[in-house]
Amino acid sequence: MPMPNSLPAKYGALNAMEFSDEAKQVLVKILTTAFPHKNFPQGPYERMADKLISMADESPWFRMKLIQGVETIDAGADRKFSDLPYEEALEALKKVERTEFFSFIRRMTILTMYEDEEVWSSVGYEGP
């Protein structure tokens, strides 16, 4: 059952945390690194990041995991994760690939992003 937009009182600290534009850019970088496609436009990655953030608003557990994961991966790099070149970003992702945070992102992206019609045209899929 989806949670209402306001989280329970015991998650008050999570209620106060907002996903910044910078956090969204970290998510987009995670997605472009984990799901690299030469001819993909940026739109599907950005929409997937928005979808993940939207899902976090509905689930206290996922909100906590997403916030912790974004903060952890960004703090683990020498500089901002979103500024890392592909190879360095890939190495950083390998360090978190077995976490609940990354597993959830991977699972939801596989189930969701590849349903985007812009993705279909990018990979040459003509549709259902």
Side-chain angles (χ1 to χ4, degrees):
M1 177 163 92
M3 296 287 299
N5 284 340
S6 63
L7 300 173
K10 70 180 186 177
Y11 297 105
L14 292 177
N15 277 339
M17 297 181 100
E18 299 272 336
F19 285 98
S20 65
D21 288 338
E22 190 171 317
K24 180 181 173 182
Q25 291 310 309
V26 170
L27 282 174
V28 169
K29 181 69 171 193
I30 289 169
L31 295 168
T32 59
T33 302
F35 300 92
H37 294 282
K38 196 179 246 183
N39 298 320
F40 259 33
Q42 196 70 3
Y45 294 116
E46 291 174 356
R47 285 189 293 278
M48 188 64 220
D50 287 338
K51 174 80 171 165
L52 292 167
I53 291 168
S54 175
M55 293 171 77
D57 287 339
E58 297 172 11
S59 166
W61 174 87
F62 184 57
R63 184 174 186 81
M64 180 182 67
K65 291 295 178 186
L66 192 62
I67 290 170
Q68 286 176 337
V70 166
E71 289 178 357
T72 298
I73 202 158
D74 206 30
D78 299 359
R79 53 186 178 243
K80 289 182 185 179
F81 179 79
S82 56
D83 293 338
L84 292 176
Y86 174 78
E87 291 299 326
E88 289 179 44
L90 184 60
E91 287 304 313
L93 285 183
K94 287 180 181 180
K95 293 176 184 174
V96 299
E97 72 182 331
R98 297 193 189 279
T99 64
E100 289 177 291
F101 159 74
F102 187 73
S103 294
F104 191 81
I105 288 175
R106 180 178 45 233
R107 184 173 54 254
M108 294 313 303
T109 301
I110 289 168
L111 294 173
T112 306
M113 189 171 76
Y114 293 100
E115 292 180 353
D116 187 304
E117 290 185 21
E118 191 174 7
V119 168
W120 294 353
S121 63
S122 297
V123 297
Y125 179 59
E126 295 178 11

